[in-house]
Amino acid sequence: MLSAFKLMALASAALAPIAISALAPGYGTGSATARAPFPELVELRSGTFRYRASGEFLRDGKPIIAPIVAVAVDRPLAVMKNQVTVADYLRCVKARACPMAGTDAAAVDRPVVGVSWRDTQAYASWLSRETGATFRLPTDGEWAYAAASRFHDDALPENLSGGDPGQRALAIYDRDASRVTTVAKAPQPIGSFGANENGLLDLAGNVWEWTDTCFQRIAVAATGARTAVLANCGVRVVEGRHRAYMADFVRDARAGGCASGTPPSNLGFRLVRDDVSRPGWSFVLGLVQLVAR
């Protein structure tokens, strides 16, 4: 969909999160006089699941398959039931707290798209001020946990690790070519792609979603230990029908941004509520399984 590095996360069916309640608008400490209505949230139980790590993994300078790790979500996770809509986002624009996005302002019942990572931060800050709660983007792990069976692991075959780069390039091409679908390209009304087993709408539909996780390039020793990690927070993980990596588009490069322009027309976001601390998940030591050896 969006970039060269596209590794899907794998949620274990046996350990899939369970939705314990749909939280109606007004849940929590939101102000009764807020200009922004409190979003409808779904709260997921804490738990453990298996997840393919995001980023690029290297051994001896050659790419290898990303490992599958066990992740613990150590407290309930409240997630927006649907993506932020055009109508939602336009309230923030009207309040002069968000820049106008590259989306159809008349399509109020559809996900807002064409938003940069910085736009999502502006919206989260504004919504937090308006409601009295704290909202933020999910981490990649939290998004994977919430998506459950909507994830499809699209890692390349294990025998390509460190092998012929030509064969690897052909495998990437074949994988990406197989993703061609007849799904409409334009954002569709909320609910068009149904709900997953957690009651969350339109996950892995035709709109990808920003996460707050930075792209990482990770060197791995023969033992599986990480020997070097280079994080690039100018590129973030985005999730949808598959995982991808997207530059943080800064519309005015004169302000110090290294990228300018309009983000893709199939990239939106949803937020999680976080009134305690972040993140709500952690790697479980001793349960890491390296797929590439």
Side-chain angles (χ1 to χ4, degrees):
M1 165 252 181
L2 298 172
S3 79
F5 302 106
K6 305 169 182 175
L7 300 174
M8 279 302 302
L10 174 64
S12 169
L15 295 174
I18 302 172
I20 59 175
S21 61
L23 306 176
Y27 160 75
T29 58
S31 169
T33 60
R35 289 170 294 176
F38 204 94
E40 187 172 3
L41 303 174
V42 171
E43 185 171 303
L44 309 180
R45 288 190 180 122
S46 58
T48 302
F49 74 113
R50 298 178 71 216
Y51 162 81
R52 189 174 296 281
S54 62
E56 181 185 26
F57 286 75
L58 305 170
R59 179 176 294 135
D60 298 327
K62 297 178 181 180
I64 61 173
I65 307 302
I68 293 177
V69 296
V71 177
V73 178
D74 55 19
R75 67 173 184 273
L77 180 67
V79 186
M80 283 186 174
K81 184 174 182 178
N82 54 266
Q83 295 152 338
V84 173
T85 66
V86 172
D88 296 331
Y89 191 82
L90 286 178
R91 293 187 188 96
C92 185
V93 173
K94 186 176 180 180
R96 299 182 179 179
C98 293
M100 188 62 192
T103 195
D104 182 0
V108 293
D109 63 339
R110 287 161 168 75
V112 65
V113 293
V115 285
S116 72
W117 178 85
R118 290 173 181 248
D119 297 338
T120 71
Q121 300 304 293
Y123 183 84
S125 294
W126 171 78
L127 184 64
S128 298
R129 292 193 301 271
E130 290 293 304
T131 61
T134 301
F135 288 94
R136 58 171 174 82
L137 284 176
T139 64
D140 183 55
E142 289 169 337
W143 203 98
Y145 187 68
S149 64
R150 292 291 176 98
F151 269 100
H152 304 283
D153 183 11
D154 66 350
L156 295 174
E158 185 176 347
N159 60 10
L160 290 175
S161 291
D164 183 347
Q167 291 298 318
R168 187 179 183 85
L170 287 173
I172 292 173
Y173 175 84
D174 289 341
R175 182 195 63 190
D176 293 350
S178 69
R179 290 172 174 162
V180 176
T181 68
T182 58
V183 175
K185 293 183 178 180
Q188 300 299 300
I190 295 298
S192 294
F193 297 93
N196 72 348
E197 60 267 50
N198 290 329
L200 296 168
L201 297 175
D202 303 323
L203 285 162
N206 71 343
V207 171
W208 272 249
E209 301 180 23
W210 284 103
T211 79
D212 206 28
T213 298
C214 302
F215 173 78
Q216 291 186 326
R217 180 170 284 116
I218 301 161
V220 180
T223 60
R226 299 183 181 193
T227 58
V229 178
L230 176 64
N232 179 1
C233 289
V235 177
R236 302 278 171 166
V237 181
V238 301
E239 290 288 3
R241 287 180 175 267
H242 56 79
R243 176 184 286 157
Y245 301 94
M246 179 56 58
D248 173 17
F249 286 86
V250 181
R251 292 186 177 86
D252 184 359
R254 294 172 299 177
C258 60
S260 63
T262 302
S265 59
N266 60 345
L267 181 55
F269 68 108
R270 78 180 74 210
L271 302 175
V272 298
R273 179 177 178 175
D274 186 3
D275 291 338
V276 184
S277 62
R278 64 165 306 196
W281 59 283
S282 59
F283 291 106
V284 180
L285 298 178
L287 293 180
V288 177
Q289 175 188 352
L290 283 177
V291 175
R293 295 179 175 84

